[in-house]
Amino acid sequence: MINAFLVFNGQGQPRLTKFYTQLDTSIQQRLISEIFTLVSNRPPGSCNFLPLPPLLAASSTSNTSSSAQEQNDVPSLVTYRNYATLYFIVISTSTESPLALIDLIQVYVEALDRLFENVCELDLIFNYETLHATLGEMVVGGVVIETNMERIVAGVRAQGTVAKRPVNEGRTGGGLGGSLGAGLGMGGMVWHGR
Amino acid sequence: MRNGTRTDSKFEKSLYDLIRGLRNHKGNEKEYIQNCLKECRSEIRSQDMDLKATALLKLVYLEMVGHDMSWASFHVLEVMSSQKYHQKRVGYLAAVQSFRPDTDVLMMATNLLKKDVAASLPTIIALPIAALPHIVTPSLAMSLLGDLLPRLGHSHAAIRKKTVVTLYRLALVYPEALRASWPKIKERLMDPEEDSSVTAAIVNVVCELGWRRPHDFLPLAPRLFELLVDGGNNWMAIKLIKLFATLTPLEPRLVRKLLPPLTNLIRTTPAMSLLYECINGIIQGGILGDGEDFSAREEVASLCVTKLRGMVSANSDPNLKYVALLAFNRIVVTHPFLVAQQEDVILECIDSEDITIRIKALDLVQGMVSSDNLVSIVSRLMRQLKASSAALSQQQNGLEGQDPETDSSDEASADPRRRRKTLEPAPPLPDDYTVDVIGRILRMCSQDNYANMADFDWYLDVLTQLVRIAPAPRAKDLDADLSAPKLAGDVSEKIGNELRNVAVKVKAIRAAAVRAAELAVSRMNSEISPTRPVVSGALKPVAWIVGEYAFQLLSPDDTLRHLLDLVPRVEYSEGLATCLQAVLKLFAYVAGDDQALWTPERKSSVTLLMARVIHVLEPFALHPYLEVQERAVEFIELLKLTAEAAAGQAPSTDEVQQDPPLLLTQAIPSLFTGWELNSVAAGTQQNVPIPDDLDLDEPIHPDLNRLLSQADSLMLPTQGDDEFEAYYNQKPAATSMASEPAINRLLDAPEEVATSSYQQSEESYLDPDIIARRKAERQERYRDDPFYIPESTASGGRSTPIHTILQKENGPDLDIDSIPIMQLDLNLSGRASPAERQQPPPKPKPRQRIIVAADETLGFGGSGGGSGLSTPRAYDSENNNSDTLAKKSRSAATTAAAARRLKQQSLLQFTSTHINDLALEETGGGKGEGGSGDSGFTHERQQREEAEMALALKEVQRLRLEMQRANERIQVAQGVPVEGVVVRRKKKGTGTGLRGRRLRRVTKKKVGVEGEEGGPVGEGEGVVKAKKKKVKRVVKLDEGEGGAAAPAEGE
C-alpha cells in the first residue's frame, strides 16, 4: 500500500502532502524535511529510491521482532522522481512494486500536464485542490485505483473546470515557472510500465 | 485591501491572495502567516458560507506548510455539510488533511457521511467514499457499512472501484466489513462484463488481503489466472504476480500452470517493471524450488538469476541495481546459495556512490559473511569511513583555522552541501549512515561469538580506528519525543564495548587489547582540547579496561595521568562512574607496589599523587548522579586515610628499613584483585539465587549513628590544592610513546592519494600510527626468523659496504640519500614484501589458534555448552560483566523503552492486526452469497436490530399521536383553548436549541404520555449534550433527524 504521497520543490517547500494514515502535523513536517535532506543530496546518476529517513527507520527497526506479516504493513520504500523544480515522493510498503511506483509518479505528472496544458510549478501552487483531485482519482486510501490517463483526466474534469493560473502570475513571475514539460522528456527511461 | 480578485465587495483574502502574499513577503513570512491565521480565525466564524469555505481552504493550505488547524475541526464539519459542491469539496479535503485520531467532532459527522454516501450525484458520493479511509474508526465503519455496500452496485464504475477500496480500509479497522462485503466484491471480480478498472482495483485489494490470509483466496485462482493471461493491464499483472507468489506455497499445482505465462511475459513484455516482478514472483513464490519437472525449473532459475545478476552488475541502470538487490534480499531467505553465487557483483555495490544501493548491498552482505571474506568486506567499509572522516576533518581543520569555536558535531549534520563543495572526490557520509555501517561492522565481526574472526590483531586495529572515526554524539538536538535512541552516542560506546569484549574474552590477545585501550585514552586526552567536554561513549569501556588490566599497561603512570586529566571533563555520568573506579584501580597498581622500598622519593611522589587524585575526585562528592557521588566519596575518604598513613610512615633511611604503609600496599589493591572477571550471558544476573539468610532490614552496624557522628570529627586538613595543581600543570608533559609523531601527520595527506592504488592494503583505512605499530609488531615477530632481513633502524644498525663508503665519503652531515630512504620506510607494502616473499607458505598469516571465552551462564540447563546458544547475540548482550549496578538500571531502562516502542505503532503503519483473525469462510463455492444469511454476522444482526428499532419507533410515535389526540380531546372538552398549547409548542420549536428540545420533552412528560419515547431520541441527543457549547450548530447539522421528527410533532 501507499503510505504517503508528497510533492515539494527544490527548496523543500511542500506543494502537496497526502498521508494515508493520520499523522501529527509537526511529524509530517519533520518527515518532509528529513526526506528533503535525503533527496537533495543525491549524487547524479543515483537510483530513484531513497534510504529510509531516520523517522521511519527508527520505527521499522523497533519492529524487527515482529512477524514478517507485520513487516508488510510498515513503510519500507521511498520512491522519488524529480521533474524540473519539483520532487514527487511516494512512501509505500514492501507490497508495492518499486519500478511500477516510478511509473505511477510519471502517470500523475502526465495527467497534471494534460489538465493544465504544459504544467509548471505555479499551476500546482495556485491549484492545489486540483492536485488533490487528480491524486484522488489515482489513489484512494493508499490503494491504487486507476493508472489509465484518460480515465484519470476525465474523472478530474467531471468534478468541475480546472482553473487556470491567474493571468498576472505569468510564467516569468517569481522565477519558479520552469515548465515540468521538460521533465516529461524522461519518458525515454528504460522501463515504461503501463 | 489587496487587489481582491474574487472578493465581491468584501475585505477578505482569497486563496490566490494568500499565496501571492506569501510570495511577496519573502523574509518575514512568519509574521505574514500569523496575520493570515488570525484573519482566518475570524472569517471561519462568519455566517457567510463562501467566506467560511475560503477561510478553510486557506487553512488547509497553511496546514500543508506546517500550521496546525486542529482547532478548526468543527468548522470543517460545517463546511462539509454545505449544500454547494465546491464548498463541500473543500470541507472534505480539510477533513482528510486535518483530522487526527483524537479529533472528537468526528462522531458528529456520521449522519452527514451517511447522507452524502446516499446522494444522487456521483461527484458528491465520491467525496465521503474517498475521505473515509483517512478518518475511519471502528464505530464509524460499523455505522457506515450498511450505506456503503449498495454503492458496490452503483452505475458509475468510478464509484464502484472507490467503494471497493474504501470497504477494504474499513475492514482493516472493522473486519466485519469484509465479511459483509466480500460476497459482493467477489461477484464483481468474477463478472467478465465488469469494467476493467474496477477489476483492477479489486485485484489490488485482493493482493493486499492475499498476503494476510492466502488460504481464503485460493479458490479465486482460476479467475486470477485468466486475468493474468489476458489482462493487458501491467499494473494489475504485477499485482496478480505478487498475489500468486503468496498462493503458490499453499498450492504447488499452481506452479505448473503459472510457469508458461510467466516465462512468456519475461520474454515478451516491454515493461521493465513487469519483467522484474515476474522474476521476483518466480523466485519468491518458491517456483524455483525442487519438484518433479526439474530440468524446466533449472532453466527458469538460471534465466532469472542471470537476469538479476545482469541488473546488479556494474554498468546497469541504478534503479535496476536497486530492485535486483531488493530481490536478492528476498531470495536470500529461501535460496541463500543462489545469492552466494553472486557475491562478487554484490560486493561491488558496497562501494557504489549511491547510499541507497550501498545499504541494500550491506543488508545482503551481512548474511554472507564468512571467515574468508570478512577481512575484505570490512576493509571496503573501513576505507569508505576513513575517506569520509578524512574529508570531514580536513574541512574542520580549515574551518577551525578561522573560527576555533566552531562545534564540529553541529556542522556535521547541519550543512551537508557546504561540505561537499569543499571536497569533491570523497564527500563525507551522513552521520546516520556512518553509525549504521559501524554497527554492521561490529555485528559482522562479533557474530556467533567471533566465529568468523581469524585475526584479532587486525580486529583490534580496526576498533582503534573506529573509535577515531565514530561521529561525536549530537548532544543537544536529541529531542526526546519520537527520535531514535541516541544513535551516535551509542555507537562509540559499542565500539569500546567490543574492545572490552575482546580483552575479556580472548586472553591471548588481552595484552594487545589493553594497549589499544591505553592508546585510546591517551589520544582522547591529547586530541580533545582541554576546554571541551569529553562526550565519546567509548571512554567508559576503555577506562574499564585500563583499570582492570592495569598490570598489562605499558605505562600505567602516564595512563593514570591521562585519565585524571580526562575525568573532570567527562559529561555523562555512567562513563564518569566507571572512570572513577578505573582511577582508583590504576592508583592502586601504580602506588601499591609492596616490593619496592619506602624511600623518601617514593613517599613524596605517592603523597603528591594522592593529593592529585583527591583533588580530582573532590568535586564529584556532590555530583547529582548517585553512583558517581558514592564512589567519589568512598574513594576520597579511603585516600585521605591512606594519605594520613603515608604521612605518618617515616621513609627508610640507609640504616632503618621501613615498609610502605599496609593500607597502600595491601588494603587498597585487595579491593580490586582477587577474581578475574569473565563475561556473563545476558540475563544470568537475574538467576543468581538470593541467599536464604539475607535480611535486608537488618542494620549494617548496631551503632551506626555513633560511628557516623564520630566520622564527622575525623576530617583531614585539606592541603593547598593550588600548589599541587600548579606542580602538575607546569611539569613538562612526558613524551608519551603513544602520541603520534608529527611526521605522520605531515605525510597524511599525500599518503591518502598514493594509496588509492593499493585496494586491499590496510593503510587505506588505518591511521599511520596504527600501521606503524603493526609494523613494529611484525618486526618483533620475525626477529628470530633467519629468513627475515631486519631493516636498519634510524641510528644505522645495518650497514652495507656501499652505504658505509658513502657515509665515509660524504660525512654524517652530507647524508643526502637518508631523506628518501626515510620516506620509503613509511611505505609498508614495500617493506613487507621481502618478508612475505621469503615466508615458505604463501598464506599471508597462519590462522591463530585463539580461544574465545564463551559467556558464563547460570541455570538454563546448567552446562557451559549452553553458551553457544546465548552468545550469537553477544553483540547485544555484552557489557553485563562490569558495573552491574549501572548496567542494570540502564538495561532496565532500555528494555522498558523497547517495550514502549513495540507497543507504540510505528509511524505511517496501517493497522491491520484484527483482520488477520477474520476467516472469510470461503469453503463451498456456492456458499458465496448464501453465506450472508448466516446469523453470526454482526453486520446482518445489526441491520436486523436497526429494522426492529425502526418498527418500535413507529409504534411509539403512533401511540404518542393517539394519546396526544386523546389529550387534546380532553382539553377541548374541558374548555382549554387548543391554540394556546400549539402556540407554546411552536415557540419552543423555533428555539432550535437543545434547551427547546429538552423542554419539549418535559412538557410531553407533563402530559404524561411516554416514558419509552425518551429512549431513542434521548440517545441521539446524548451525543450532542457532550458538547454543550457547540450544541446550537450541531442541531443545524442534524437537520435530517430534526426534519424527520418535525412532522411527528406537527400533528
Side-chain angles (χ1 to χ4, degrees):
Chain A
M1 280 170 87
I2 293 173
N3 303 78
F5 197 111
L6 310 170
V7 181
F8 48 71
N9 71 358
Q11 284 87 51
Q13 294 166 318
R15 294 293 175 228
L16 169 80
T17 58
K18 184 72 98 185
F19 291 88
Y20 292 100
T21 42
Q22 294 176 331
L23 210 59
D24 259 4
T25 308
S26 59
I27 297 174
Q28 288 182 359
Q29 294 297 319
R30 217 167 107 190
L31 193 61
I32 291 171
S33 78
E34 279 184 3
I35 292 178
F36 173 70
T37 325
L38 286 173
V39 93
S40 58
N41 278 315
R42 305 286 287 166
S46 342
C47 63
N48 289 39
F49 306 98
L50 294 176
L52 281 183
L55 258 181
L56 295 182
S59 56
S60 71
T61 48
S62 74
N63 272 29
T64 39
S65 53
S66 57
S67 66
Q69 282 225 329
E70 255 171 69
Q71 287 299 313
N72 277 344
D73 268 335
V74 176
S76 62
L77 189 67
V78 184
T79 313
Y80 78 97
R81 245 184 129 156
N82 183 10
Y83 292 95
T85 56
L86 292 173
Y87 290 103
F88 292 74
I89 315 287
V90 178
I91 305 174
S92 63
T93 63
S94 60
T95 53
E96 295 295 338
S97 163
L99 296 180
L101 286 177
I102 296 182
D103 289 336
L104 187 75
I105 298 177
Q106 173 84 15
V107 172
Y108 182 61
V109 175
E110 276 181 37
L112 289 176
D113 193 51
R114 190 82 75 81
L115 286 164
F116 288 110
E117 287 158 29
N118 226 349
V119 67
C120 71
E121 190 184 342
L122 272 179
D123 294 320
L124 308 192
I125 295 173
F126 284 104
N127 296 297
Y128 80 123
E129 257 194 294
T130 311
L131 248 72
H132 280 288
T134 314
L135 186 60
E137 289 300 308
M138 296 174 66
V139 182
V140 168
V143 179
V144 176
I145 53 162
E146 190 58 82
T147 52
N148 179 302
M149 179 93 57
E150 308 298 331
R151 285 167 180 267
I152 295 166
V153 172
V156 178
R157 293 216 167 113
Q159 298 177 23
T161 47
V162 174
K164 297 309 297 173
R165 72 186 73 90
V167 213
N168 49 350
E169 297 280 339
R171 264 162 206 282
T172 46
L176 285 165
S179 167
L180 294 183
L184 294 177
M186 291 173 76
M189 293 182 89
V190 194
W191 56 87
H192 210 65
R194 293 149 295 108
Chain B
M1 182 149 191
R2 279 164 243 292
N3 43 5
T5 28
R6 310 188 328 156
T7 55
D8 17 284
S9 81
K10 290 190 206 91
F11 289 100
E12 87 276 18
K13 283 197 204 75
S14 71
L15 177 65
Y16 283 173
D17 299 326
L18 170 82
I19 297 169
R20 198 177 293 142
L22 264 178
R23 287 155 66 79
N24 290 338
H25 283 75
K26 289 262 155 65
N28 55 346
E29 282 129 324
K30 272 216 179 97
E31 196 188 334
Y32 179 76
I33 289 179
Q34 285 312 318
N35 281 334
C36 289
L37 279 174
K38 222 177 277 169
E39 285 168 23
C40 287
R41 265 178 196 274
S42 64
E43 284 168 17
I44 208 164
R45 294 203 166 78
S46 145
Q47 289 302 310
D48 179 350
M49 211 52 178
D50 264 322
L51 193 56
K52 208 188 258 294
T54 308
L56 192 62
L57 192 59
K58 287 191 277 185
L59 283 178
V60 177
Y61 189 88
L62 292 176
E63 198 271 345
M64 173 173 75
V65 195
H67 298 272
D68 177 60
M69 59 170 285
S70 55
W71 54 269
S73 51
F74 184 77
H75 304 289
V76 173
L77 278 193
E78 285 181 317
V79 179
M80 277 166 81
S81 67
S82 161
Q83 296 301 314
K84 293 182 182 145
Y85 172 72
H86 69 266
Q87 290 170 352
K88 202 184 252 308
R89 189 169 76 162
V90 172
Y92 272 101
L93 177 63
V96 165
Q97 297 297 99
S98 75
F99 279 9
R100 306 283 176 256
D102 57 349
T103 304
D104 47 7
V105 300
L106 196 56
M107 50 184 151
M108 292 192 266
T110 314
N111 278 327
L112 173 65
L113 290 169
K114 275 173 177 283
K115 205 178 104 193
D116 284 344
V117 168
S120 55
L121 274 177
T123 42
I124 291 187
I125 303 175
L127 289 178
I129 290 181
L132 264 175
H134 294 265
I135 57 176
V136 70
T137 61
S139 64
L140 193 60
M142 195 170 76
S143 42
L144 275 167
L145 179 57
D147 305 272
L148 273 174
L149 281 178
R151 297 291 140 207
L152 277 176
H154 196 271
S155 55
H156 275 68
I159 299 294
R160 291 203 297 275
K161 67 187 177 193
K162 286 178 183 172
T163 308
V164 167
V165 173
T166 301
L167 282 170
Y168 161 68
R169 286 299 302 267
L170 248 57
L172 287 186
V173 294
Y174 176 63
E176 281 302 321
L178 187 62
R179 207 198 299 270
S181 58
W182 177 243
K184 291 191 173 177
I185 296 179
K186 192 182 152 197
E187 188 188 331
R188 295 271 141 228
L189 178 65
M190 294 303 182
D191 186 357
E193 301 297 306
E194 180 54 283
D195 188 286
S196 67
S197 69
V198 179
T199 314
I202 296 175
V203 167
N204 265 345
V205 166
V206 171
C207 176
E208 284 299 329
L209 288 169
W211 59 261
R212 296 173 213 267
R213 302 193 56 85
H215 279 285
D216 290 337
F217 299 96
L218 267 181
L220 293 180
R223 170 67 178 157
L224 296 174
F225 187 77
E226 205 178 295
L227 287 170
L228 176 65
V229 173
D230 44 44
N233 177 343
N234 279 346
W235 184 276
M236 187 170 79
I238 288 172
K239 289 290 177 177
L240 284 170
I241 293 167
K242 279 181 171 289
L243 181 59
F244 275 121
T246 57
L247 294 185
T248 43
L250 301 174
E251 178 53 275
R253 280 173 300 175
L254 269 176
V255 172
R256 202 182 304 162
K257 280 216 74 146
L258 276 172
L259 265 184
L262 284 185
T263 39
N264 184 38
L265 273 177
I266 288 178
R267 295 214 170 89
T268 58
T269 179
M272 190 56 90
S273 50
L274 185 54
L275 169 66
Y276 163 73
E277 290 300 337
C278 285
I279 297 172
N280 197 21
I282 286 180
I283 299 162
Q284 237 191 313
I287 303 181
L288 291 182
D290 46 10
E292 60 276 19
D293 195 4
F294 192 74
S295 63
R297 289 184 189 188
E298 192 77 333
E299 196 186 319
V300 177
S302 64
L303 181 70
C304 293
V305 176
T306 44
K307 287 266 180 200
L308 283 180
R309 189 187 162 88
M311 288 177 170
V312 177
S313 61
N315 45 7
S316 84
D317 183 291
N319 285 331
L320 298 185
K321 222 179 223 186
Y322 174 82
V323 291
L325 288 172
L326 215 56
F328 277 137
N329 263 315
R330 285 181 188 159
I331 303 170
V332 81
V333 183
T334 50
H335 300 75
F337 61 97
L338 281 178
V339 181
Q341 287 164 7
Q342 321 303 327
E343 191 186 309
D344 48 343
V345 279
I346 292 168
L347 281 183
E348 283 306 314
C349 290
I350 292 182
D351 282 334
S352 165
E353 277 233 313
D354 189 339
I355 286 188
T356 323
I357 291 180
R358 269 194 209 176
I359 291 176
K360 280 289 163 233
L362 274 180
D363 284 342
L364 263 180
V365 158
Q366 231 174 310
M368 297 169 19
V369 167
S370 68
S371 57
D372 295 326
N373 60 17
L374 178 70
V375 173
S376 84
I377 291 174
V378 173
S379 300
R380 271 171 193 269
L381 297 176
M382 289 298 291
R383 252 197 314 282
Q384 287 175 15
L385 294 178
K386 178 75 195 294
S388 143
S389 87
L392 200 63
S393 68
Q394 211 175 57
Q395 188 178 54
Q396 270 164 23
N397 289 343
L399 283 172
E400 246 150 60
Q402 302 143 4
D403 180 12
E405 286 312 306
T406 314
D407 194 346
S408 56
S409 58
D410 274 358
E411 61 125 40
S413 53
D415 195 350
R417 254 169 297 169
R418 187 174 48 171
R419 277 186 287 154
R420 173 163 308 163
K421 233 182 277 164
T422 48
L423 206 98
E424 239 65 73
L429 304 163
D431 272 0
D432 292 323
Y433 176 77
T434 312
V435 168
D436 183 44
V437 169
I438 293 177
R440 285 170 198 264
I441 290 177
L442 299 182
R443 238 167 294 155
M444 281 190 268
C445 291
S446 60
Q447 227 169 36
D448 298 336
N449 207 20
Y450 303 99
N452 293 325
M453 185 56 63
D455 182 350
F456 275 96
D457 281 314
W458 168 82
Y459 187 40
L460 285 178
D461 291 333
V462 166
L463 289 177
T464 314
Q465 184 68 52
L466 281 179
V467 171
R468 298 177 192 183
I469 290 175
R474 280 163 291 173
K476 302 272 153 50
D477 65 0
L478 291 169
D479 22 13
D481 52 350
L482 247 167
S483 69
K486 37 169 194 166
L487 283 170
D490 279 346
V491 82
S492 51
E493 189 173 342
K494 275 182 193 165
I495 303 165
N497 285 343
E498 272 302 303
L499 200 59
R500 192 198 49 207
N501 280 2
V502 172
V504 171
K505 287 187 164 195
V506 194
K507 271 193 191 148
I509 212 75
R510 186 172 291 165
V514 172
R515 270 198 292 283
E518 191 178 6
L519 191 66
V521 169
S522 80
R523 202 180 145 93
M524 253 181 236
N525 189 27
S526 58
E527 294 274 297
I528 303 169
S529 72
T531 50
R532 292 257 184 91
V534 180
V535 285
S536 170
L539 182 61
K540 183 185 164 192
V542 160
W544 185 85
I545 298 175
V546 294
E548 184 63 23
Y549 303 113
F551 55 95
Q552 279 176 322
L553 291 171
L554 280 179
S555 165
D557 302 273
D558 281 335
T559 310
L560 178 57
R561 197 167 50 77
H562 291 311
L563 211 52
L564 285 173
D565 283 346
L566 281 172
V567 162
R569 292 185 273 145
V570 178
E571 273 203 335
Y572 70 120
S573 318
E574 276 175 39
L576 194 55
T578 313
C579 282
L580 294 187
Q581 192 92 4
V583 163
L584 204 70
K585 284 178 183 172
L586 268 171
F587 169 78
Y589 178 72
V590 168
D593 185 1
D594 60 347
Q595 303 299 316
L597 286 175
W598 185 243
T599 58
E601 297 82 54
R602 184 171 177 202
K603 181 178 174 182
S604 60
S605 73
V606 164
T607 315
L608 280 173
L609 190 57
M610 276 191 284
R612 164 98 167 112
V613 174
I614 291 172
H615 174 75
V616 168
L617 291 186
E618 231 145 26
F620 297 116
L622 296 172
H623 198 275
Y625 188 63
L626 284 181
E627 186 76 10
V628 172
Q629 196 187 82
E630 184 185 4
R631 290 184 194 194
V633 170
E634 276 173 13
F635 297 159
I636 290 170
E637 292 308 318
L638 193 59
L639 285 174
K640 279 180 179 168
L641 269 182
T642 318
E644 210 177 332
Q649 188 85 328
S652 37
T653 54
D654 290 339
E655 301 88 55
V656 191
Q657 178 105 354
Q658 287 281 5
D659 283 333
L662 280 181
L663 205 53
L664 191 65
T665 57
Q666 301 292 322
I668 296 184
S670 71
L671 290 177
F672 304 113
T673 52
W675 297 101
E676 181 167 334
L677 298 175
N678 291 322
S679 74
V680 179
T684 309
Q685 190 76 35
Q686 279 151 3
N687 295 341
V688 176
I690 298 171
D692 294 332
D693 54 346
L694 181 70
D695 182 8
L696 289 175
D697 297 329
E698 186 188 338
I700 299 167
H701 190 276
D703 204 2
L704 194 62
N705 281 337
R706 196 177 53 81
L707 278 180
L708 287 174
S709 62
Q710 272 181 354
D712 283 342
S713 54
L714 244 170
M715 289 296 279
L716 261 190
T718 43
Q719 288 148 312
D721 294 330
D722 297 341
E723 197 184 320
F724 289 103
E725 196 182 10
Y727 173 78
Y728 273 96
N729 286 345
Q730 279 159 19
K731 180 185 164 197
T735 43
S736 155
M737 60 148 294
S739 74
E740 196 181 40
I743 189 164
N744 284 349
R745 241 175 259 153
L746 273 180
L747 287 172
D748 207 341
E751 201 175 51
E752 283 300 306
V753 183
T755 50
S756 60
S757 57
Y758 300 114
Q759 279 296 306
Q760 295 300 328
S761 65
E762 287 150 350
E763 57 266 59
S764 57
Y765 57 89
L766 293 179
D767 274 353
D769 61 323
I770 302 179
I771 296 164
R773 194 164 40 79
R774 269 181 92 72
K775 203 177 62 188
E777 281 168 12
R778 205 167 314 186
Q779 276 178 14
E780 185 71 18
R781 213 178 302 137
Y782 295 137
R783 199 173 48 188
D784 300 330
D785 191 334
F787 297 107
Y788 183 76
I789 301 170
E791 286 148 82
S792 61
T793 49
S795 55
R798 183 186 60 162
S799 50
T800 56
I802 300 168
H803 188 77
T804 34
I805 291 165
L806 273 172
Q807 216 166 20
K808 265 181 202 161
E809 294 290 297
N810 297 335
D813 300 337
L814 274 168
D815 195 5
I816 300 159
D817 56 349
S818 70
I819 299 157
I821 285 174
M822 277 288 285
Q823 271 187 333
L824 257 175
D825 277 357
L826 285 165
N827 189 336
L828 172 66
S829 59
R831 182 96 51 89
S833 55
E836 275 171 5
R837 227 177 293 137
Q838 279 153 35
Q839 281 274 332
K843 262 194 259 168
K845 198 180 277 183
R847 186 173 171 147
Q848 293 162 298
R849 281 176 196 280
I850 286 175
I851 300 152
V852 181
D855 289 340
E856 291 183 346
T857 51
L858 246 186
F860 299 132
S863 76
S867 59
L869 290 170
S870 60
T871 42
R873 300 191 56 210
Y875 174 71
D876 298 322
S877 66
E878 30 61 304
N879 97 1
N880 38 0
N881 46 357
S882 76
D883 300 336
T884 41
L885 251 179
K887 163 71 185 166
K888 249 190 184 169
S889 66
R890 207 177 70 111
S891 72
T894 48
T895 47
R900 220 178 309 127
R901 247 182 293 135
L902 267 180
K903 250 183 251 166
Q904 172 199 333
Q905 260 255 324
S906 81
L907 213 58
L908 279 176
Q909 187 184 340
F910 295 108
T911 351
S912 70
T913 40
H914 309 297
I915 201 165
N916 293 333
D917 309 330
L918 176 89
L920 281 176
E921 280 153 71
E922 268 293 305
T923 43
K927 209 190 162 191
E929 276 125 285
S932 59
D934 196 331
S935 61
F937 293 168
T938 47
H939 168 63
E940 311 294 339
R941 199 166 53 220
Q942 186 202 341
Q943 272 189 339
R944 255 198 319 276
E945 277 166 11
E946 269 172 18
E948 277 166 24
M949 182 65 80
L951 268 179
L953 262 174
K954 256 186 202 159
E955 180 66 12
V956 166
Q957 273 171 4
R958 195 181 56 79
L959 279 173
R960 200 180 70 183
L961 275 175
E962 265 176 26
M963 294 175 96
Q964 199 175 338
R965 286 205 189 104
N967 198 19
E968 280 163 12
R969 274 197 297 274
I970 294 165
Q971 282 172 341
V972 170
Q974 287 176 348
V976 179
V978 182
E979 292 83 358
V981 181
V982 175
V983 168
R984 245 178 76 207
R985 244 184 229 156
K986 257 187 192 160
K987 252 187 191 168
K988 282 164 209 152
T990 48
T992 60
L994 175 63
R995 206 150 37 104
R997 275 198 166 196
R998 216 190 270 149
L999 271 175
R1000 197 195 310 142
R1001 220 165 42 204
V1002 171
T1003 37
K1004 277 172 208 152
K1005 260 188 192 154
K1006 254 190 209 157
V1007 180
V1009 186
E1010 64 288 296
E1012 320 126 294
E1013 197 263 9
V1017 177
E1019 197 181 297
E1021 281 174 355
V1023 176
V1024 180
K1025 261 184 248 167
K1027 309 243 63 168
K1028 272 181 187 159
K1029 279 186 191 165
K1030 297 175 180 171
V1031 155
K1032 277 191 183 167
R1033 298 185 198 96
V1034 172
V1035 172
K1036 231 193 265 172
L1037 276 179
D1038 278 359
E1039 275 166 349
E1041 198 196 48
E1049 294 163 42
E1051 286 289 311

